[in-house]
Amino acid sequence: IMINLILQNRRPIIYGDGNQKRCFSDIDDCIDCLEKLMFDKSVVSETVNIGPDEEHITINELYQKIANKLKFNQQAEYHEKRPNEVREAICSSDKARKILNYRTSKTLDQSLDEMIDYIKSRGPKKFVYNYEIEISSEIAPKTWTKKLF
């Protein structure tokens, strides 16, 4: 969503202080593992983390990377943190490497460059809310209740 919003010259939204840590996977690095988990009887019923555990980044750092790549010099729009948000979502892929032969072949920068090129080639799109909120509460993110995207 960040890339798409920036390409529309709109400020992306970051929940909380933006110091939440995440690891981001390129689909090309995960698809073979997902296929094996679906069809290989030797790994049926296994619970496995798939994703890069060697490259984690804060949401603020991710925003800065994307903004720099797109030469976007506006600040992100900060909103109240989401309820019960995990502060550090960093997995261990040791098991995936062992039983699925998982490996990271693309860096986050390479993946971001590909996403930027893809979105530019198709043109940025207006966000479509496909569902109405069924149960609204004061802790629901404003991006949902006010449809800020």
Side-chain angles (χ1 to χ4, degrees):
I1 292 178
M2 277 188 189
I3 295 168
N4 194 50
L5 287 172
I6 290 172
L7 288 173
Q8 295 176 53
N9 201 33
R10 295 175 60 200
R11 295 169 49 204
I13 292 171
I14 295 177
Y15 293 102
D17 63 10
N19 289 319
Q20 310 89 310
K21 288 186 181 176
R22 300 290 183 266
C23 291
F24 293 95
S25 303
D26 191 280
I27 188 64
D28 291 338
D29 288 342
C30 299
I31 199 73
D32 290 338
C33 294
L34 295 172
E35 183 177 35
K36 190 169 185 178
L37 285 166
M38 287 189 298
F39 301 113
D40 187 331
K41 292 184 187 332
S42 69
V43 294
V44 168
S45 300
E46 292 286 345
T47 301
V48 185
N49 287 315
I50 302 169
D53 51 6
E54 65 274 341
E55 186 179 19
H56 57 272
I57 187 170
T58 68
I59 301 302
N60 285 327
E61 291 167 332
L62 175 66
Y63 169 69
Q64 278 309 132
K65 274 184 179 288
I66 294 169
N68 289 341
K69 288 175 180 293
L70 293 172
K71 297 176 180 28
F72 185 77
N73 47 0
Q74 295 182 44
Q75 291 299 315
E77 188 176 308
Y78 286 84
H79 284 249
E80 201 171 305
K81 70 178 187 170
R82 292 184 288 193
N84 302 318
E85 183 168 18
V86 175
R87 197 78 177 146
E88 290 195 19
I90 301 168
C91 72
S92 168
S93 294
D94 292 342
K95 186 175 181 181
R97 285 195 256 311
K98 183 178 178 182
I99 70 170
L100 301 173
N101 201 27
Y102 170 78
R103 67 178 182 79
T104 303
S105 65
K106 293 184 183 177
T107 65
L108 177 59
D109 277 314
Q110 290 169 320
S111 294
L112 290 174
D113 289 340
E114 287 180 12
M115 282 190 282
I116 288 168
D117 290 344
Y118 178 79
I119 294 169
K120 281 182 173 180
S121 74
R122 295 180 52 101
K125 305 281 188 244
K126 182 173 171 44
F127 188 84
V128 176
Y129 288 86
N130 291 314
Y131 305 101
E132 293 298 321
I133 294 178
E134 291 182 32
I135 301 172
S136 187
S137 77
E138 68 276 352
I139 63 172
K142 285 184 178 60
T143 51
W144 300 354
T145 59
K146 306 277 188 214
K147 298 184 177 181
L148 298 178
F149 290 125

